[in-house]
Amino acid sequence: MILTPTRHADPRMAEIADKVERGERLTLEDGVYLYQSDDILTLGQLANLANMRKNGNKVYFIENMSLYFTNVCEAHCAFCSFRRDADAEGAYTLSAEEMIAYVDQHIHPEVREFHIVGGHNPNVPFQYYVDSLKALKERYPQVTLKAYTAAEIDFFTRISGLSIKEVLTTLVDAGLESLTGGGAEILSDEYRKKMRVDKAGVDRYLEVHRTAHQLGIKTHTTMLYGSIETHEDRIRHLIKVRELQDETNGFLVFIPLSMQPKSPKAGIKRRNSAYEDLKTIAISRLMLDNIQHIKAYFINIGTQLTQMALTFGASDAHGTIVKERISHAAGALTPEGLTRDELIWLIQGAGRIPVERDTFYNEIKVYEPKSNKK
């Protein structure tokens, strides 16, 4: 990789480039500088180099469905438009039978994963959440259950009186196979106080994932960026994730989530710029040297920017989803889901090789690179 022009123009960027090329770990100061730099092309080149070393030209996707059993939630996070009070208009809590009826209407034989998240509903017992998974696993034994965030697991400990380990083992017995990454937001106590994130704190979020990893459960993790946090807050978040991965090696993928405004009619000044989204994906790839995959989440950044992100360090284009609700409740303007053919087209259009995967990144099918045919 040759970055000679940048090395002459910006000695600090050249120093970071040398580190990346040597495979050395970046520091907090390095990460903050990358955010401050306007040399996004060099940043993209470096992130692409780091990704190519790990994944080559392959970009992964999965046939999955997002499921939401309830939107009733006791938390009042400032950024959330999905949650409802139990007596509010639009509030719902589905029975297992109602969810199965919904899935039966939308599922097709290639679906490999249910992505299950929802509100922290204190009006139903922990057993409700257990039985929901059990019913799905009995009805669709071939589909992997990737269910609940670390914040939900923490909530379950409070309503059940069980420990984190006991909650997780109970859920595993019901069919749980992986945890989702949500609930991280920004791993800063100050941020969580200001944004009214009245759910699992920083240490608790990390402890849930640590415990899951110790039990052999591979998990996902996220960062919700674009509100009041500083660039340093974001880099400290990445370092906390990196440190836990050093300890457990249990994270499969990191997903940067671009904050959505509360109204779909919000102007562009209320949204993260494409520039900031690409920077965050690239910096995530460079800081998280011990996590195999960085996801470009088309739900939040759009399909075309997702395609660009595949040359800025991302190696995962997410999945078909079918019908996403949380980001769209908060004003996302993107598709609620994509078909397999659309994902393949998107990946091939970036000059990459589409790879259909399962939840654990086992390869199901490798597709041909894009041909010159229309």
Side-chain angles (χ1 to χ4, degrees), residues 337-373:
L338 292 176
T339 67
R340 175 201 275 138
D341 287 345
E342 287 171 329
L343 282 166
I344 292 169
W345 176 88
L346 183 151
I347 295 166
Q348 289 174 332
R352 301 298 164 115
I353 300 170
V355 180
E356 188 172 354
R357 64 171 175 87
D358 67 10
T359 299
F360 308 101
Y361 288 85
N362 297 306
E363 296 184 2
I364 305 301
K365 182 176 180 179
V366 179
Y367 293 82
E368 293 295 323
K370 184 178 182 181
S371 69
N372 293 324
K373 296 179 180 179

PDB file of all heavy atoms in Angstrom, residues 337-373:
ATOM      1  N   GLY A 337     -36.283  -3.452   4.647  1.00  0.00           N
ATOM      2  CA  GLY A 337     -35.623  -4.722   4.403  1.00  0.00           C
ATOM      3  C   GLY A 337     -35.175  -4.783   2.961  1.00  0.00           C
ATOM      4  O   GLY A 337     -35.553  -3.942   2.142  1.00  0.00           O
ATOM      5  N   LEU A 338     -34.341  -5.767   2.654  1.00  0.00           N
ATOM      6  CA  LEU A 338     -33.883  -5.996   1.288  1.00  0.00           C
ATOM      7  C   LEU A 338     -34.045  -7.475   0.961  1.00  0.00           C
ATOM      8  O   LEU A 338     -34.075  -8.316   1.859  1.00  0.00           O
ATOM      9  CB  LEU A 338     -32.401  -5.608   1.136  1.00  0.00           C
ATOM     10  CG  LEU A 338     -32.040  -4.127   1.256  1.00  0.00           C
ATOM     11  CD1 LEU A 338     -30.523  -3.958   1.188  1.00  0.00           C
ATOM     12  CD2 LEU A 338     -32.708  -3.298   0.164  1.00  0.00           C
ATOM     13  N   THR A 339     -34.124  -7.777  -0.314  1.00  0.00           N
ATOM     14  CA  THR A 339     -34.135  -9.174  -0.731  1.00  0.00           C
ATOM     15  C   THR A 339     -32.703  -9.687  -0.852  1.00  0.00           C
ATOM     16  O   THR A 339     -31.739  -8.915  -0.891  1.00  0.00           O
ATOM     17  CB  THR A 339     -34.828  -9.335  -2.092  1.00  0.00           C
ATOM     18  OG1 THR A 339     -34.027  -8.682  -3.098  1.00  0.00           O
ATOM     19  CG2 THR A 339     -36.224  -8.727  -2.070  1.00  0.00           C
ATOM     20  N   ARG A 340     -32.570 -11.005  -0.930  1.00  0.00           N
ATOM     21  CA  ARG A 340     -31.252 -11.589  -1.142  1.00  0.00           C
ATOM     22  C   ARG A 340     -30.622 -11.060  -2.432  1.00  0.00           C
ATOM     23  O   ARG A 340     -29.445 -10.695  -2.461  1.00  0.00           O
ATOM     24  CB  ARG A 340     -31.340 -13.109  -1.194  1.00  0.00           C
ATOM     25  CG  ARG A 340     -29.994 -13.743  -1.540  1.00  0.00           C
ATOM     26  CD  ARG A 340     -30.154 -15.132  -2.080  1.00  0.00           C
ATOM     27  NE  ARG A 340     -30.237 -16.104  -1.009  1.00  0.00           N
ATOM     28  CZ  ARG A 340     -31.092 -17.110  -1.012  1.00  0.00           C
ATOM     29  NH1 ARG A 340     -31.955 -17.247  -1.993  1.00  0.00           N
ATOM     30  NH2 ARG A 340     -31.091 -17.981  -0.032  1.00  0.00           N
ATOM     31  N   ASP A 341     -31.392 -11.010  -3.505  1.00  0.00           N
ATOM     32  CA  ASP A 341     -30.863 -10.538  -4.778  1.00  0.00           C
ATOM     33  C   ASP A 341     -30.382  -9.093  -4.685  1.00  0.00           C
ATOM     34  O   ASP A 341     -29.369  -8.721  -5.298  1.00  0.00           O
ATOM     35  CB  ASP A 341     -31.919 -10.660  -5.876  1.00  0.00           C
ATOM     36  CG  ASP A 341     -32.159 -12.098  -6.312  1.00  0.00           C
ATOM     37  OD1 ASP A 341     -31.313 -12.964  -5.977  1.00  0.00           O
ATOM     38  OD2 ASP A 341     -33.170 -12.373  -6.965  1.00  0.00           O
ATOM     39  N   GLU A 342     -31.102  -8.268  -3.936  1.00  0.00           N
ATOM     40  CA  GLU A 342     -30.677  -6.874  -3.775  1.00  0.00           C
ATOM     41  C   GLU A 342     -29.372  -6.779  -2.997  1.00  0.00           C
ATOM     42  O   GLU A 342     -28.486  -5.972  -3.336  1.00  0.00           O
ATOM     43  CB  GLU A 342     -31.776  -6.075  -3.068  1.00  0.00           C
ATOM     44  CG  GLU A 342     -32.984  -5.801  -3.958  1.00  0.00           C
ATOM     45  CD  GLU A 342     -34.145  -5.196  -3.206  1.00  0.00           C
ATOM     46  OE1 GLU A 342     -34.312  -5.499  -2.005  1.00  0.00           O
ATOM     47  OE2 GLU A 342     -34.903  -4.428  -3.836  1.00  0.00           O
ATOM     48  N   LEU A 343     -29.228  -7.591  -1.959  1.00  0.00           N
ATOM     49  CA  LEU A 343     -27.978  -7.588  -1.194  1.00  0.00           C
ATOM     50  C   LEU A 343     -26.809  -8.063  -2.050  1.00  0.00           C
ATOM     51  O   LEU A 343     -25.709  -7.499  -1.993  1.00  0.00           O
ATOM     52  CB  LEU A 343     -28.126  -8.468   0.051  1.00  0.00           C
ATOM     53  CG  LEU A 343     -28.893  -7.853   1.219  1.00  0.00           C
ATOM     54  CD1 LEU A 343     -29.250  -8.930   2.231  1.00  0.00           C
ATOM     55  CD2 LEU A 343     -28.084  -6.751   1.890  1.00  0.00           C
ATOM     56  N   ILE A 344     -27.039  -9.110  -2.828  1.00  0.00           N
ATOM     57  CA  ILE A 344     -25.987  -9.610  -3.712  1.00  0.00           C
ATOM     58  C   ILE A 344     -25.587  -8.536  -4.715  1.00  0.00           C
ATOM     59  O   ILE A 344     -24.399  -8.277  -4.942  1.00  0.00           O
ATOM     60  CB  ILE A 344     -26.449 -10.896  -4.423  1.00  0.00           C
ATOM     61  CG1 ILE A 344     -26.586 -12.034  -3.399  1.00  0.00           C
ATOM     62  CG2 ILE A 344     -25.484 -11.295  -5.535  1.00  0.00           C
ATOM     63  CD1 ILE A 344     -27.280 -13.266  -3.939  1.00  0.00           C
ATOM     64  N   TRP A 345     -26.590  -7.879  -5.312  1.00  0.00           N
ATOM     65  CA  TRP A 345     -26.321  -6.808  -6.269  1.00  0.00           C
ATOM     66  C   TRP A 345     -25.526  -5.675  -5.627  1.00  0.00           C
ATOM     67  O   TRP A 345     -24.568  -5.143  -6.210  1.00  0.00           O
ATOM     68  CB  TRP A 345     -27.644  -6.275  -6.810  1.00  0.00           C
ATOM     69  CG  TRP A 345     -27.494  -5.110  -7.743  1.00  0.00           C
ATOM     70  CD1 TRP A 345     -27.312  -5.140  -9.095  1.00  0.00           C
ATOM     71  CD2 TRP A 345     -27.513  -3.715  -7.384  1.00  0.00           C
ATOM     72  NE1 TRP A 345     -27.211  -3.859  -9.595  1.00  0.00           N
ATOM     73  CE2 TRP A 345     -27.330  -2.966  -8.571  1.00  0.00           C
ATOM     74  CE3 TRP A 345     -27.664  -3.030  -6.167  1.00  0.00           C
ATOM     75  CZ2 TRP A 345     -27.299  -1.574  -8.576  1.00  0.00           C
ATOM     76  CZ3 TRP A 345     -27.622  -1.648  -6.171  1.00  0.00           C
ATOM     77  CH2 TRP A 345     -27.447  -0.933  -7.363  1.00  0.00           C
ATOM     78  N   LEU A 346     -25.916  -5.305  -4.413  1.00  0.00           N
ATOM     79  CA  LEU A 346     -25.251  -4.222  -3.697  1.00  0.00           C
ATOM     80  C   LEU A 346     -23.773  -4.552  -3.470  1.00  0.00           C
ATOM     81  O   LEU A 346     -22.884  -3.722  -3.688  1.00  0.00           O
ATOM     82  CB  LEU A 346     -25.975  -3.988  -2.368  1.00  0.00           C
ATOM     83  CG  LEU A 346     -25.528  -2.855  -1.454  1.00  0.00           C
ATOM     84  CD1 LEU A 346     -26.724  -2.357  -0.656  1.00  0.00           C
ATOM     85  CD2 LEU A 346     -24.436  -3.312  -0.487  1.00  0.00           C
ATOM     86  N   ILE A 347     -23.501  -5.767  -3.024  1.00  0.00           N
ATOM     87  CA  ILE A 347     -22.127  -6.182  -2.723  1.00  0.00           C
ATOM     88  C   ILE A 347     -21.306  -6.306  -4.006  1.00  0.00           C
ATOM     89  O   ILE A 347     -20.162  -5.824  -4.082  1.00  0.00           O
ATOM     90  CB  ILE A 347     -22.135  -7.496  -1.928  1.00  0.00           C
ATOM     91  CG1 ILE A 347     -22.778  -7.282  -0.549  1.00  0.00           C
ATOM     92  CG2 ILE A 347     -20.711  -8.050  -1.779  1.00  0.00           C
ATOM     93  CD1 ILE A 347     -23.141  -8.566   0.166  1.00  0.00           C
ATOM     94  N   GLN A 348     -21.870  -6.935  -5.005  1.00  0.00           N
ATOM     95  CA  GLN A 348     -21.160  -7.078  -6.273  1.00  0.00           C
ATOM     96  C   GLN A 348     -20.851  -5.721  -6.900  1.00  0.00           C
ATOM     97  O   GLN A 348     -19.797  -5.522  -7.511  1.00  0.00           O
ATOM     98  CB  GLN A 348     -21.971  -7.925  -7.250  1.00  0.00           C
ATOM     99  CG  GLN A 348     -22.032  -9.397  -6.876  1.00  0.00           C
ATOM    100  CD  GLN A 348     -22.961 -10.190  -7.791  1.00  0.00           C
ATOM    101  OE1 GLN A 348     -23.923  -9.648  -8.340  1.00  0.00           O
ATOM    102  NE2 GLN A 348     -22.676 -11.475  -7.949  1.00  0.00           N
ATOM    103  N   GLY A 349     -21.763  -4.774  -6.734  1.00  0.00           N
ATOM    104  CA  GLY A 349     -21.573  -3.442  -7.287  1.00  0.00           C
ATOM    105  C   GLY A 349     -20.403  -2.699  -6.676  1.00  0.00           C
ATOM    106  O   GLY A 349     -19.886  -1.744  -7.260  1.00  0.00           O
ATOM    107  N   ALA A 350     -19.988  -3.125  -5.481  1.00  0.00           N
ATOM    108  CA  ALA A 350     -18.819  -2.532  -4.834  1.00  0.00           C
ATOM    109  C   ALA A 350     -17.535  -3.285  -5.199  1.00  0.00           C
ATOM    110  O   ALA A 350     -16.470  -3.010  -4.642  1.00  0.00           O
ATOM    111  CB  ALA A 350     -18.998  -2.527  -3.317  1.00  0.00           C
ATOM    112  N   GLY A 351     -17.654  -4.240  -6.135  1.00  0.00           N
ATOM    113  CA  GLY A 351     -16.481  -5.002  -6.538  1.00  0.00           C
ATOM    114  C   GLY A 351     -16.083  -6.077  -5.545  1.00  0.00           C
ATOM    115  O   GLY A 351     -14.941  -6.548  -5.547  1.00  0.00           O
ATOM    116  N   ARG A 352     -17.020  -6.486  -4.702  1.00  0.00           N
ATOM    117  CA  ARG A 352     -16.735  -7.487  -3.673  1.00  0.00           C
ATOM    118  C   ARG A 352     -17.465  -8.795  -3.969  1.00  0.00           C
ATOM    119  O   ARG A 352     -18.353  -8.856  -4.816  1.00  0.00           O
ATOM    120  CB  ARG A 352     -17.119  -6.955  -2.291  1.00  0.00           C
ATOM    121  CG  ARG A 352     -16.381  -5.672  -1.906  1.00  0.00           C
ATOM    122  CD  ARG A 352     -14.882  -5.883  -1.819  1.00  0.00           C
ATOM    123  NE  ARG A 352     -14.120  -4.657  -1.814  1.00  0.00           N
ATOM    124  CZ  ARG A 352     -13.379  -4.230  -0.804  1.00  0.00           C
ATOM    125  NH1 ARG A 352     -13.315  -4.925   0.317  1.00  0.00           N
ATOM    126  NH2 ARG A 352     -12.688  -3.124  -0.918  1.00  0.00           N
ATOM    127  N   ILE A 353     -17.108  -9.819  -3.216  1.00  0.00           N
ATOM    128  CA  ILE A 353     -17.679 -11.155  -3.388  1.00  0.00           C
ATOM    129  C   ILE A 353     -18.746 -11.375  -2.317  1.00  0.00           C
ATOM    130  O   ILE A 353     -18.429 -11.419  -1.122  1.00  0.00           O
ATOM    131  CB  ILE A 353     -16.591 -12.235  -3.273  1.00  0.00           C
ATOM    132  CG1 ILE A 353     -15.527 -12.029  -4.350  1.00  0.00           C
ATOM    133  CG2 ILE A 353     -17.206 -13.629  -3.363  1.00  0.00           C
ATOM    134  CD1 ILE A 353     -14.301 -12.912  -4.166  1.00  0.00           C
ATOM    135  N   PRO A 354     -20.011 -11.521  -2.690  1.00  0.00           N
ATOM    136  CA  PRO A 354     -21.055 -11.761  -1.689  1.00  0.00           C
ATOM    137  C   PRO A 354     -20.936 -13.169  -1.101  1.00  0.00           C
ATOM    138  O   PRO A 354     -20.737 -14.148  -1.823  1.00  0.00           O
ATOM    139  CB  PRO A 354     -22.359 -11.624  -2.492  1.00  0.00           C
ATOM    140  CG  PRO A 354     -21.960 -10.997  -3.798  1.00  0.00           C
ATOM    141  CD  PRO A 354     -20.556 -11.412  -4.052  1.00  0.00           C
ATOM    142  N   VAL A 355     -21.077 -13.248   0.208  1.00  0.00           N
ATOM    143  CA  VAL A 355     -21.035 -14.530   0.903  1.00  0.00           C
ATOM    144  C   VAL A 355     -22.244 -14.619   1.823  1.00  0.00           C
ATOM    145  O   VAL A 355     -22.373 -13.832   2.771  1.00  0.00           O
ATOM    146  CB  VAL A 355     -19.743 -14.705   1.726  1.00  0.00           C
ATOM    147  CG1 VAL A 355     -19.751 -16.071   2.424  1.00  0.00           C
ATOM    148  CG2 VAL A 355     -18.512 -14.557   0.851  1.00  0.00           C
ATOM    149  N   GLU A 356     -23.129 -15.554   1.532  1.00  0.00           N
ATOM    150  CA  GLU A 356     -24.249 -15.802   2.439  1.00  0.00           C
ATOM    151  C   GLU A 356     -23.726 -16.581   3.631  1.00  0.00           C
ATOM    152  O   GLU A 356     -22.977 -17.549   3.478  1.00  0.00           O
ATOM    153  CB  GLU A 356     -25.339 -16.580   1.722  1.00  0.00           C
ATOM    154  CG  GLU A 356     -26.617 -16.716   2.527  1.00  0.00           C
ATOM    155  CD  GLU A 356     -27.754 -17.323   1.733  1.00  0.00           C
ATOM    156  OE1 GLU A 356     -27.588 -17.533   0.509  1.00  0.00           O
ATOM    157  OE2 GLU A 356     -28.797 -17.602   2.355  1.00  0.00           O
ATOM    158  N   ARG A 357     -24.104 -16.152   4.829  1.00  0.00           N
ATOM    159  CA  ARG A 357     -23.560 -16.725   6.058  1.00  0.00           C
ATOM    160  C   ARG A 357     -24.675 -17.145   6.995  1.00  0.00           C
ATOM    161  O   ARG A 357     -25.847 -16.834   6.785  1.00  0.00           O
ATOM    162  CB  ARG A 357     -22.687 -15.683   6.760  1.00  0.00           C
ATOM    163  CG  ARG A 357     -23.482 -14.444   7.229  1.00  0.00           C
ATOM    164  CD  ARG A 357     -22.644 -13.537   8.102  1.00  0.00           C
ATOM    165  NE  ARG A 357     -23.330 -12.303   8.477  1.00  0.00           N
ATOM    166  CZ  ARG A 357     -24.130 -12.159   9.525  1.00  0.00           C
ATOM    167  NH1 ARG A 357     -24.411 -13.201  10.310  1.00  0.00           N
ATOM    168  NH2 ARG A 357     -24.689 -10.995   9.801  1.00  0.00           N
ATOM    169  N   ASP A 358     -24.273 -17.828   8.081  1.00  0.00           N
ATOM    170  CA  ASP A 358     -25.199 -18.023   9.184  1.00  0.00           C
ATOM    171  C   ASP A 358     -24.859 -17.016  10.278  1.00  0.00           C
ATOM    172  O   ASP A 358     -24.004 -16.137  10.093  1.00  0.00           O
ATOM    173  CB  ASP A 358     -25.196 -19.470   9.684  1.00  0.00           C
ATOM    174  CG  ASP A 358     -23.875 -19.877  10.332  1.00  0.00           C
ATOM    175  OD1 ASP A 358     -22.995 -19.015  10.579  1.00  0.00           O
ATOM    176  OD2 ASP A 358     -23.707 -21.085  10.617  1.00  0.00           O
ATOM    177  N   THR A 359     -25.508 -17.113  11.420  1.00  0.00           N
ATOM    178  CA  THR A 359     -25.286 -16.160  12.512  1.00  0.00           C
ATOM    179  C   THR A 359     -23.827 -16.099  12.938  1.00  0.00           C
ATOM    180  O   THR A 359     -23.330 -15.040  13.335  1.00  0.00           O
ATOM    181  CB  THR A 359     -26.163 -16.546  13.718  1.00  0.00           C
ATOM    182  OG1 THR A 359     -27.539 -16.496  13.327  1.00  0.00           O
ATOM    183  CG2 THR A 359     -25.943 -15.617  14.903  1.00  0.00           C
ATOM    184  N   PHE A 360     -23.122 -17.212  12.835  1.00  0.00           N
ATOM    185  CA  PHE A 360     -21.762 -17.322  13.369  1.00  0.00           C
ATOM    186  C   PHE A 360     -20.694 -17.161  12.295  1.00  0.00           C
ATOM    187  O   PHE A 360     -19.543 -17.508  12.503  1.00  0.00           O
ATOM    188  CB  PHE A 360     -21.629 -18.654  14.098  1.00  0.00           C
ATOM    189  CG  PHE A 360     -22.725 -18.853  15.115  1.00  0.00           C
ATOM    190  CD1 PHE A 360     -23.823 -19.658  14.831  1.00  0.00           C
ATOM    191  CD2 PHE A 360     -22.711 -18.177  16.325  1.00  0.00           C
ATOM    192  CE1 PHE A 360     -24.860 -19.807  15.739  1.00  0.00           C
ATOM    193  CE2 PHE A 360     -23.739 -18.312  17.233  1.00  0.00           C
ATOM    194  CZ  PHE A 360     -24.813 -19.133  16.946  1.00  0.00           C
ATOM    195  N   TYR A 361     -21.092 -16.643  11.152  1.00  0.00           N
ATOM    196  CA  TYR A 361     -20.196 -16.355  10.029  1.00  0.00           C
ATOM    197  C   TYR A 361     -19.632 -17.611   9.382  1.00  0.00           C
ATOM    198  O   TYR A 361     -18.599 -17.565   8.728  1.00  0.00           O
ATOM    199  CB  TYR A 361     -19.092 -15.366  10.431  1.00  0.00           C
ATOM    200  CG  TYR A 361     -19.661 -13.981  10.602  1.00  0.00           C
ATOM    201  CD1 TYR A 361     -20.241 -13.589  11.813  1.00  0.00           C
ATOM    202  CD2 TYR A 361     -19.684 -13.085   9.552  1.00  0.00           C
ATOM    203  CE1 TYR A 361     -20.816 -12.339  11.961  1.00  0.00           C
ATOM    204  CE2 TYR A 361     -20.250 -11.824   9.684  1.00  0.00           C
ATOM    205  CZ  TYR A 361     -20.811 -11.461  10.893  1.00  0.00           C
ATOM    206  OH  TYR A 361     -21.402 -10.221  11.036  1.00  0.00           O
ATOM    207  N   ASN A 362     -20.317 -18.725   9.554  1.00  0.00           N
ATOM    208  CA  ASN A 362     -20.014 -19.890   8.733  1.00  0.00           C
ATOM    209  C   ASN A 362     -20.559 -19.622   7.339  1.00  0.00           C
ATOM    210  O   ASN A 362     -21.691 -19.145   7.185  1.00  0.00           O
ATOM    211  CB  ASN A 362     -20.658 -21.149   9.316  1.00  0.00           C
ATOM    212  CG  ASN A 362     -20.110 -21.479  10.685  1.00  0.00           C
ATOM    213  OD1 ASN A 362     -18.907 -21.593  10.869  1.00  0.00           O
ATOM    214  ND2 ASN A 362     -20.992 -21.624  11.666  1.00  0.00           N
ATOM    215  N   GLU A 363     -19.775 -19.917   6.311  1.00  0.00           N
ATOM    216  CA  GLU A 363     -20.171 -19.610   4.939  1.00  0.00           C
ATOM    217  C   GLU A 363     -21.174 -20.640   4.423  1.00  0.00           C
ATOM    218  O   GLU A 363     -20.917 -21.832   4.465  1.00  0.00           O
ATOM    219  CB  GLU A 363     -18.939 -19.555   4.040  1.00  0.00           C
ATOM    220  CG  GLU A 363     -17.985 -18.427   4.420  1.00  0.00           C
ATOM    221  CD  GLU A 363     -16.801 -18.315   3.472  1.00  0.00           C
ATOM    222  OE1 GLU A 363     -16.736 -19.094   2.490  1.00  0.00           O
ATOM    223  OE2 GLU A 363     -15.931 -17.440   3.702  1.00  0.00           O
ATOM    224  N   ILE A 364     -22.316 -20.149   3.933  1.00  0.00           N
ATOM    225  CA  ILE A 364     -23.355 -21.000   3.366  1.00  0.00           C
ATOM    226  C   ILE A 364     -23.181 -21.101   1.857  1.00  0.00           C
ATOM    227  O   ILE A 364     -23.220 -22.182   1.274  1.00  0.00           O
ATOM    228  CB  ILE A 364     -24.752 -20.455   3.693  1.00  0.00           C
ATOM    229  CG1 ILE A 364     -24.922 -20.282   5.212  1.00  0.00           C
ATOM    230  CG2 ILE A 364     -25.822 -21.365   3.113  1.00  0.00           C
ATOM    231  CD1 ILE A 364     -24.741 -21.534   6.021  1.00  0.00           C
ATOM    232  N   LYS A 365     -22.974 -19.951   1.216  1.00  0.00           N
ATOM    233  CA  LYS A 365     -22.796 -19.933  -0.231  1.00  0.00           C
ATOM    234  C   LYS A 365     -21.975 -18.721  -0.628  1.00  0.00           C
ATOM    235  O   LYS A 365     -22.246 -17.611  -0.177  1.00  0.00           O
ATOM    236  CB  LYS A 365     -24.148 -19.904  -0.952  1.00  0.00           C
ATOM    237  CG  LYS A 365     -24.025 -19.942  -2.469  1.00  0.00           C
ATOM    238  CD  LYS A 365     -25.392 -20.009  -3.155  1.00  0.00           C
ATOM    239  CE  LYS A 365     -25.241 -20.057  -4.669  1.00  0.00           C
ATOM    240  NZ  LYS A 365     -26.566 -20.135  -5.351  1.00  0.00           N
ATOM    241  N   VAL A 366     -20.982 -18.941  -1.489  1.00  0.00           N
ATOM    242  CA  VAL A 366     -20.171 -17.857  -2.035  1.00  0.00           C
ATOM    243  C   VAL A 366     -20.654 -17.585  -3.450  1.00  0.00           C
ATOM    244  O   VAL A 366     -20.719 -18.493  -4.288  1.00  0.00           O
ATOM    245  CB  VAL A 366     -18.672 -18.225  -2.033  1.00  0.00           C
ATOM    246  CG1 VAL A 366     -17.840 -17.094  -2.635  1.00  0.00           C
ATOM    247  CG2 VAL A 366     -18.203 -18.548  -0.614  1.00  0.00           C
ATOM    248  N   TYR A 367     -21.012 -16.331  -3.726  1.00  0.00           N
ATOM    249  CA  TYR A 367     -21.540 -15.956  -5.040  1.00  0.00           C
ATOM    250  C   TYR A 367     -20.424 -15.433  -5.940  1.00  0.00           C
ATOM    251  O   TYR A 367     -19.395 -14.969  -5.467  1.00  0.00           O
ATOM    252  CB  TYR A 367     -22.634 -14.896  -4.887  1.00  0.00           C
ATOM    253  CG  TYR A 367     -23.868 -15.431  -4.207  1.00  0.00           C
ATOM    254  CD1 TYR A 367     -23.938 -15.536  -2.809  1.00  0.00           C
ATOM    255  CD2 TYR A 367     -24.965 -15.860  -4.937  1.00  0.00           C
ATOM    256  CE1 TYR A 367     -25.060 -16.042  -2.180  1.00  0.00           C
ATOM    257  CE2 TYR A 367     -26.101 -16.372  -4.323  1.00  0.00           C
ATOM    258  CZ  TYR A 367     -26.132 -16.461  -2.940  1.00  0.00           C
ATOM    259  OH  TYR A 367     -27.242 -16.982  -2.321  1.00  0.00           O
ATOM    260  N   GLU A 368     -20.665 -15.507  -7.221  1.00  0.00           N
ATOM    261  CA  GLU A 368     -19.670 -15.067  -8.200  1.00  0.00           C
ATOM    262  C   GLU A 368     -19.494 -13.540  -8.124  1.00  0.00           C
ATOM    263  O   GLU A 368     -20.432 -12.817  -7.812  1.00  0.00           O
ATOM    264  CB  GLU A 368     -20.099 -15.462  -9.619  1.00  0.00           C
ATOM    265  CG  GLU A 368     -20.113 -16.951  -9.876  1.00  0.00           C
ATOM    266  CD  GLU A 368     -18.734 -17.565  -9.791  1.00  0.00           C
ATOM    267  OE1 GLU A 368     -17.759 -16.903 -10.229  1.00  0.00           O
ATOM    268  OE2 GLU A 368     -18.612 -18.688  -9.282  1.00  0.00           O
ATOM    269  N   PRO A 369     -18.274 -13.072  -8.432  1.00  0.00           N
ATOM    270  CA  PRO A 369     -18.097 -11.612  -8.560  1.00  0.00           C
ATOM    271  C   PRO A 369     -18.974 -11.087  -9.682  1.00  0.00           C
ATOM    272  O   PRO A 369     -19.427 -11.850 -10.561  1.00  0.00           O
ATOM    273  CB  PRO A 369     -16.615 -11.466  -8.904  1.00  0.00           C
ATOM    274  CG  PRO A 369     -15.983 -12.750  -8.491  1.00  0.00           C
ATOM    275  CD  PRO A 369     -17.031 -13.808  -8.640  1.00  0.00           C
ATOM    276  N   LYS A 370     -19.183  -9.788  -9.709  1.00  0.00           N
ATOM    277  CA  LYS A 370     -20.050  -9.176 -10.707  1.00  0.00           C
ATOM    278  C   LYS A 370     -19.460  -9.361 -12.110  1.00  0.00           C
ATOM    279  O   LYS A 370     -18.276  -9.139 -12.329  1.00  0.00           O
ATOM    280  CB  LYS A 370     -20.212  -7.685 -10.424  1.00  0.00           C
ATOM    281  CG  LYS A 370     -21.182  -6.983 -11.354  1.00  0.00           C
ATOM    282  CD  LYS A 370     -21.325  -5.518 -10.966  1.00  0.00           C
ATOM    283  CE  LYS A 370     -22.325  -4.800 -11.858  1.00  0.00           C
ATOM    284  NZ  LYS A 370     -22.459  -3.372 -11.505  1.00  0.00           N
ATOM    285  N   SER A 371     -20.309  -9.761 -13.048  1.00  0.00           N
ATOM    286  CA  SER A 371     -19.874  -9.871 -14.433  1.00  0.00           C
ATOM    287  C   SER A 371     -20.134  -8.543 -15.139  1.00  0.00           C
ATOM    288  O   SER A 371     -20.721  -7.627 -14.589  1.00  0.00           O
ATOM    289  CB  SER A 371     -20.632 -10.995 -15.137  1.00  0.00           C
ATOM    290  OG  SER A 371     -21.998 -10.629 -15.303  1.00  0.00           O
ATOM    291  N   ASN A 372     -19.722  -8.456 -16.378  1.00  0.00           N
ATOM    292  CA  ASN A 372     -19.943  -7.251 -17.161  1.00  0.00           C
ATOM    293  C   ASN A 372     -21.323  -7.208 -17.780  1.00  0.00           C
ATOM    294  O   ASN A 372     -21.698  -6.231 -18.433  1.00  0.00           O
ATOM    295  CB  ASN A 372     -18.889  -7.136 -18.264  1.00  0.00           C
ATOM    296  CG  ASN A 372     -17.497  -6.906 -17.695  1.00  0.00           C
ATOM    297  OD1 ASN A 372     -17.370  -6.218 -16.690  1.00  0.00           O
ATOM    298  ND2 ASN A 372     -16.486  -7.468 -18.324  1.00  0.00           N
ATOM    299  N   LYS A 373     -22.085  -8.278 -17.605  1.00  0.00           N
ATOM    300  CA  LYS A 373     -23.417  -8.337 -18.189  1.00  0.00           C
ATOM    301  C   LYS A 373     -24.394  -7.477 -17.373  1.00  0.00           C
ATOM    302  O   LYS A 373     -24.317  -7.420 -16.160  1.00  0.00           O
ATOM    303  CB  LYS A 373     -23.922  -9.782 -18.223  1.00  0.00           C
ATOM    304  CG  LYS A 373     -23.074 -10.683 -19.117  1.00  0.00           C
ATOM    305  CD  LYS A 373     -23.621 -12.106 -19.095  1.00  0.00           C
ATOM    306  CE  LYS A 373     -22.793 -13.038 -19.982  1.00  0.00           C
ATOM    307  NZ  LYS A 373     -23.292 -14.420 -19.953  1.00  0.00           N
TER     308      LYS A 373
END
